[in-house]
Amino acid sequence: MAKPDSHQQCEKLLLSHWGLPKPVLAAFASKGLTELYPWQAAALECAAAGNNLVYCAPTSGGKSLVAEVVMLSRMHQAQQALHQAQQGSHRQAGALPRGLLVLPYLSIVAEKTAHLSLLLEGMKWRVTGYKGEEQGTPLAGKSERIAICSIEKANMAINHLIQEQRLHELVSVVVDEAHMLADPHRGAALEMLLSKLVACRGRCSVQVVAMSATMSGLDSLSAWLGGHLFLTNFRPVPLSEHAVFGGTVYAKAGQTSGGGSDANDWPLVEQRRLPVQGKSDRDALLALVAEVVVESHSVLVFCAGRAAAQSCAAMLAGELGRLVGPPSAAQAAARAELVAELRVALAGGVNAELERMMAAGVAYHHAGLTHQERGVVEAGYRSGALLALTATSTLAAGVNLPARRVILRSLWQGAGPVGRAQYLQMVGRAGRAGQSPVGESFLMGQGAAGSATSGQWAAVCALMSAPLPALCSQLVAQPSQQPAASMGQPSGSGGQAAGSGPAQPQPAAAPLPGPECNAQPSLQQLLLHAVAAGLVGTGPSVLSLLQSTLSYHQLPFADLADAARSALTALRARRLLSLKPEGPSRPSAWELTPLGEAVVASMLPPDLGLLLHSRMSNLMSCLVLGGHLHLLFMLQPDPLLAIYDWNAWARLTKDFTAAHKRVADVEGVQLSYIDRRIAGMRGDAATDAKHARLAGAVLLDMVVGDASCVHSLEGAWGQPNGLTKAGITRGQMQQWQAEVSKTAAMAALLASNAGWWQLEALLAPLSAQAAAGVRPELLPLMEVSGMQPSHAAALHAAGYLRPELLVCAAESEIAAALAAKLPANPLKRKDNDKKKQQGLGGYGTNALVARAAKSLLAAARQHVVLAATAKAADAELGGTQVDAFSLTRRQLCYTYQAAARPVRMLSAGAFGLS
């Protein structure tokens, strides 16, 4: 019997054993994946019967492959069952099975979408990644098979599927980074999402997969989801951990807890001494980086903040050359190519500092860069053109960038000290199968080694050997966590600039005063949405919903019940829910009020929904038209910034138009107050906040109209110790731009359900315009991947109004259109002399414009084909047979005939394209 068992075990290590369709197996094979690690096969066995699965494996251990196999095999099996059920009957094809992949960070949505799209190309399954609010609701399209989105978007999708009685279509949900359940800011949203699925077990057969590398206390999580629990510490590439103190490297000796005063208790053993390379290299960082760069391996250096990341990158770029020698011809060419990519991505803008670093094979990465700059940096690092990358801690969780060596230059990252889970996320980037045979991490501490009372030795030892924190529900706020007047600010909001002024009090969101209205905000939102979905009505249904939460498995039930009573009381006080009285044949039941229906439809948290509802109600009688400024003022839950220098604010107000002054007057923002603040008079927090909201609205108004101006705005508005203490980066402006797009989209839904169609007609286009950063007429062109605002403006001016017209143009025509509207040419500055151009491989203005034209034409063609294919798929599912290729061909022929006329004659109306 031993041989059959052995043979069966070998079969399970083959991908072909796990029910994947042949085109998917072929796609995996093209990537070199045909076999599994034993732990992956064992994890798949736990989910083979359709069971929910909770598993934890180290970073770089192959977690994602397990989730992909479970999801795709589950969808394939469901599709086969559907086809078999329809054989021999005349029923119309039912809804195709769908999958939902939930990611915590938008920065990895595009990468995951591209990966799954390639895997499923042979299946003709449509994969959609949701990176912005303007894309609508996931899984709403008939032909959409897999949606990849954030936690918040996934909540929206689940709500719609339940309300439309389509939840049976969803057969697989994968949650990446499930430890986010313990995140104090977004954990409650993830718990709400999963709680609704648990509550609907009787209505659907969805399989839930939750995975993470940094979770502990998973028994309650697996019990909650009713799934199998699988744990492994397997890592295909070994990771060696080290600490550095005073230039001496200490290797981690074992997994002892550490923390005692006896030197024998410390889990670190002295290994070697590093050479210090000058005054700027006091912690011997340069030697650590040079050791791997000289062998053409990659290094990732995590720094305490943005300024530290930039200064560290500058030091490395200036010093590495003398230690590792000049780059090879191939490296120099690759870096010149990367600089050219950066200039094309910036569409006329220049980041001279970043260019100089790239030429040395170094770059920095943080939120102060635009997403175009970050994208080029990430691509250069993955390709090997860049070997040393300095970054802030957000890179560890938000972007997939492995390295041979990971260095934490500070025990303090971002807003606080590094925690155990965060540390594992960072060092887990070291070493990836197929890229490096080993992984190394180095944590640099301050003070004397071996001291339990001074310096950071004890803290470093504790961090490197601490157990993972327990996974704790964030749905129910404890007394110390109850908000005094929470605004329910959207996740990822810019908030106040760090260190730029006193905190501002938050306006009351509820129609009725009283602290009870702010009780249990997350539980309020869950109950409100559950009532809307029909999951909650009577008292027993409330109990059933509570039993579907993670909190039920972690908290005493009496505490959970008290929290639910407080939340229901608050919802009733806020006039979001009403209690329908008991009748002769029916019990009393909770139901939505018209206000509650509007807030639920918007997907806004109750407190923020009520705040915007109140503000929009006021706007219906006093909205200042002629621009977006008044709407942008209204859409800020809290000020985006805090004014630091009132003289700077006074100078900016001198350029106010009549519309600016009208908005200030209507909203009670007295400009004379600025003079009093300049004179040194003490201000009040509420008035300061109003001025800050106006300043944020004015800045956003310029960015929304033309996002290509962020570089100039950074100079005028963003200098440190100016309008704000910390300054405003172009990356921060883009973040605010995305946030206002999200809030405007939700506010448009709120206005629609409240009956304010006038506001809806203004807010919906504002959301799309804010997401793209262009004038409304340029929005169709911005649908093309890689299109920048300045590109769209130039092409539109030349008569290319839509992608369908662009695809029929020649590269030379597109290049001419781009060159005609090129901004004041940064390539002609003094730092771009002849020698510099030679260092960039000869990429002058004409070459860069030609490069951009070629890229945009290819992207436009792909956009048109994909749009036509999706249209054909939707038509086919709707009962109309449409050939995708024929539709694409007809569309291209039509646009070719239109484009055959002189470009200067083109107009949207002339060809029915408006």
Side-chain angles (χ1 to χ4, degrees):
M1 296 297 292
K3 288 185 177 180
D5 288 345
S6 177
H7 178 70
Q8 186 178 26
Q9 290 300 321
C10 290
E11 281 190 341
K12 289 179 180 179
L13 295 180
L14 300 176
L15 267 178
S16 55
H17 177 79
W18 298 102
L20 292 172
K22 290 182 179 179
V24 174
L25 288 172
F28 273 124
S30 68
K31 294 174 174 286
L33 282 172
T34 58
E35 297 183 2
L36 301 167
Y37 294 122
W39 85 262
Q40 292 173 321
L44 288 171
E45 277 193 289
C46 295
N51 304 306
N52 291 346
L53 175 64
V54 176
Y55 66 100
C56 183
T59 300
S60 305
K63 298 186 306 298
S64 297
L65 179 59
V66 172
E68 290 166 7
V69 172
V70 172
M71 171 180 274
L72 298 181
S73 60
R74 173 76 168 176
M75 292 179 64
H76 182 53
Q77 291 165 9
Q79 182 164 301
Q80 287 181 317
L82 180 65
H83 290 165
Q84 290 173 2
Q86 292 167 350
Q87 286 179 352
S89 69
H90 299 287
R91 291 183 302 165
Q92 186 177 356
L96 295 173
R98 302 169 185 257
L100 184 64
L101 174 55
V102 186
L103 301 176
Y105 306 105
L106 291 178
S107 56
I108 51 179
V109 167
E111 179 184 348
K112 204 67 177 180
T113 303
H115 169 68
L116 282 181
S117 295
L118 284 175
L119 283 182
L120 298 171
E121 189 175 13
M123 295 292 294
K124 308 299 182 185
W125 287 3
R126 182 178 161 201
V127 180
T128 307
Y130 289 82
K131 295 172 288 183
E133 207 61 36
E134 75 282 359
Q135 292 176 276
T137 304
L139 300 179
K142 293 180 181 178
S143 63
E144 187 178 344
R145 300 299 300 277
I146 296 178
I148 304 174
C149 60
S150 66
I151 296 169
E152 292 74 20
K153 274 285 189 179
N155 257 310
M156 180 185 295
I158 296 299
N159 284 353
H160 280 270
L161 290 174
I162 294 174
Q163 291 168 6
E164 296 169 6
Q165 298 184 348
R166 294 172 46 226
L167 192 60
H168 62 279
E169 298 176 12
L170 187 63
V171 298
S172 180
V173 173
V174 171
V175 178
D176 195 7
E177 309 289 4
H179 59 267
M180 291 293 293
L181 282 162
D183 185 87
H185 304 291
R186 302 179 68 200
L190 182 53
E191 185 170 346
M192 282 188 266
L193 162 68
L194 293 173
S195 295
K196 284 176 277 190
L197 292 176
V198 172
C200 291
R201 277 176 179 158
R203 306 186 189 185
C204 64
S205 56
V206 60
Q207 183 180 29
V208 178
V209 176
M211 59 175 167
S212 177
T214 55
M215 287 194 298
S216 69
L218 300 182
D219 293 338
S220 59
L221 178 59
S222 58
W224 171 40
L225 297 178
H228 285 276
L229 175 61
F230 185 89
L231 305 175
T232 183
N233 59 3
F234 173 81
R235 203 177 191 275
V237 176
L239 172 65
S240 57
E241 299 176 58
H242 310 80
V244 180
F245 281 85
T248 300
V249 175
Y250 298 84
K252 184 177 179 181
Q255 300 298 322
T256 56
S257 61
S261 58
D262 189 339
N264 294 325
D265 292 337
W266 303 121
L268 296 174
V269 177
E270 184 174 341
Q271 188 181 67
R272 60 193 174 99
R273 181 75 182 172
L274 295 170
V276 176
Q277 302 291 337
K279 293 182 179 179
S280 61
D281 186 39
R282 296 177 181 175
D283 53 5
L285 172 71
L286 192 56
L288 280 177
V289 173
E291 285 176 351
V292 288
V293 168
V294 73
E295 298 177 358
S296 297
H297 293 304
S298 57
V299 184
L300 189 56
V301 183
F302 288 107
C303 301
R306 297 178 188 177
Q310 282 185 233
S311 62
C312 181
M315 186 270 288
L316 292 176
E319 298 291 337
L320 270 180
R322 67 180 177 82
L323 294 181
V324 302
S328 66
Q331 287 177 324
R335 292 167 188 175
E337 182 87 1
L338 193 63
V339 170
E341 290 285 352
L342 178 64
R343 291 187 173 182
V344 170
L346 295 182
V350 161
N351 186 332
E353 178 188 37
L354 190 56
E355 286 186 13
R356 286 192 293 270
M357 294 179 186
M358 284 180 168
V362 180
Y364 59 90
H365 186 292
H366 58 60
L369 295 175
T370 64
H371 60 78
Q372 293 91 351
E373 290 168 321
R374 293 197 300 271
V376 172
V377 168
E378 291 163 16
Y381 185 76
R382 288 192 183 99
S383 70
L386 301 176
L387 294 176
L389 180 63
T390 66
T392 52
S393 58
T394 52
L395 181 73
V399 184
N400 181 23
L401 292 178
R404 169 68 172 266
R405 179 173 289 182
V406 171
I407 302 170
L408 281 69
R409 202 181 188 192
S410 172
L411 190 60
W412 194 276
Q413 298 283 331
V418 179
R420 178 63 176 170
Q422 186 183 23
Y423 170 77
L424 291 177
Q425 286 278 357
M426 292 177 175
V427 302
R429 300 291 171 194
R432 283 291 171 96
Q435 298 183 20
S436 175
V438 297
E440 303 168 312
S441 71
F442 294 82
L443 173 55
M444 311 191 84
Q446 298 178 4
S451 174
T453 57
S454 63
Q456 296 179 340
W457 176 265
V460 166
C461 289
L463 176 63
M464 294 180 69
S465 57
L468 284 171
L471 187 71
C472 297
S473 168
Q474 300 295 314
L475 182 65
V476 176
Q478 301 304 314
S480 61
Q481 298 174 311
Q482 288 282 14
S486 173
M487 288 289 294
Q489 188 170 310
S491 64
S493 172
Q496 284 187 209
S500 56
Q504 309 296 343
Q506 315 222 11
L512 297 177
E516 71 278 0
C517 292
N518 296 310
Q520 302 298 338
S522 298
L523 202 51
Q524 282 189 50
Q525 187 171 7
L526 174 61
L527 288 164
L528 189 65
H529 287 196
V531 172
L535 297 176
V536 163
T538 62
S541 63
V542 174
L543 175 61
S544 178
L545 178 68
L546 295 180
Q547 291 172 333
S548 300
T549 66
L550 176 61
S551 295
Y552 177 78
H553 293 267
Q554 293 189 341
L555 298 178
F557 181 72
D559 293 350
L560 182 58
D562 287 343
R565 280 190 287 268
S566 298
L568 288 168
T569 300
L571 290 169
R572 192 176 187 182
R574 288 176 152 184
R575 300 196 293 271
L576 295 171
L577 289 182
S578 62
L579 187 61
K580 191 174 183 179
E582 182 179 358
S585 59
R586 69 171 190 274
S588 58
W590 293 100
E591 60 182 11
L592 289 177
T593 64
L595 177 59
E597 290 178 359
V599 171
V600 167
S602 73
M603 285 301 296
L604 289 163
D607 43 6
L608 179 54
L610 288 169
L611 174 67
L612 292 185
H613 186 278
S614 174
R615 289 181 179 177
M616 286 192 288
S617 178
N618 294 333
L619 282 188
M620 288 298 294
S621 61
C622 63
L623 177 63
V624 177
L625 298 174
H628 299 309
L629 184 64
H630 205 176
L631 292 174
L632 293 170
F633 183 89
M634 178 271 296
L635 288 171
Q636 296 175 66
D638 299 299
L640 295 174
L641 51 86
I643 297 173
Y644 175 72
D645 184 350
W646 288 88
N647 282 292
W649 177 225
R651 288 192 295 272
L652 292 169
T653 59
K654 292 185 184 299
D655 295 327
F656 271 17
T657 64
H660 289 105
K661 294 176 181 177
R662 176 62 178 155
V663 170
D665 182 58
V666 169
E667 291 293 342
V669 183
Q670 299 178 0
L671 298 182
S672 58
Y673 177 82
I674 301 174
D675 296 328
R676 297 200 297 272
R677 293 291 273 132
I678 291 174
M681 295 180 62
R682 186 183 180 89
D684 66 274
T687 307
D688 281 3
K690 276 192 173 184
H691 276 266
R693 280 176 60 202
L694 181 60
V698 172
L699 179 58
L700 276 174
D701 195 30
M702 291 185 282
V703 175
V704 165
D706 182 10
S708 62
C709 69
V710 292
H711 289 80
S712 59
L713 288 176
E714 187 179 35
W717 284 67
Q719 296 303 308
N721 298 315
L723 179 66
T724 67
K725 182 175 179 60
I728 305 171
T729 65
R730 51 192 180 277
Q732 195 169 15
M733 292 181 210
Q734 282 191 338
Q735 183 184 358
W736 292 345
Q737 186 184 341
E739 283 299 328
V740 79
S741 170
K742 174 181 175 180
T743 308
M746 292 178 166
L749 294 172
L750 182 63
S752 173
N753 283 271
W756 299 326
W757 60 266
Q758 304 95 328
L759 285 178
E760 179 194 8
L762 295 172
L763 287 166
L766 173 59
S767 174
Q769 193 176 340
V774 295
R775 304 188 306 273
E777 63 269 23
L778 303 182
L779 289 174
L781 287 172
M782 292 301 294
E783 294 176 5
V784 176
S785 177
M787 184 74 70
Q788 301 302 326
S790 58
H791 293 154
L795 294 171
H796 189 276
Y800 301 103
L801 310 183
R802 299 176 69 88
E804 293 84 355
L805 299 177
L806 191 60
V807 297
C808 300
E811 281 185 29
S812 58
E813 294 172 330
I814 297 175
L818 295 176
K821 294 291 182 179
L822 194 67
N825 194 353
L827 301 177
K828 294 181 179 178
R829 294 177 183 172
K830 293 180 180 179
D831 62 344
N832 290 282
D833 54 20
K834 189 173 183 179
K835 183 177 179 180
K836 178 81 171 180
Q837 291 299 327
Q838 291 172 351
L840 296 178
Y843 284 109
T845 304
N846 293 336
L848 291 175
V849 169
R851 188 188 187 95
K854 181 178 182 179
S855 174
L856 289 174
L857 181 57
R861 287 172 175 167
Q862 183 183 32
H863 169 80
V864 170
V865 171
L866 289 176
T869 303
K871 185 176 181 180
D874 284 340
E876 185 175 351
L877 288 174
T880 305
Q881 297 294 326
V882 178
D883 178 66
F885 176 76
S886 299
L887 178 64
T888 305
R889 183 174 57 196
R890 291 198 302 272
Q891 192 170 4
L892 290 176
C893 289
Y894 173 77
T895 55
Y896 176 79
Q897 293 169 1
R901 301 186 183 186
V903 172
R904 63 179 181 276
M905 299 292 291
L906 294 179
S907 68
F911 304 107
L913 296 174
S914 58

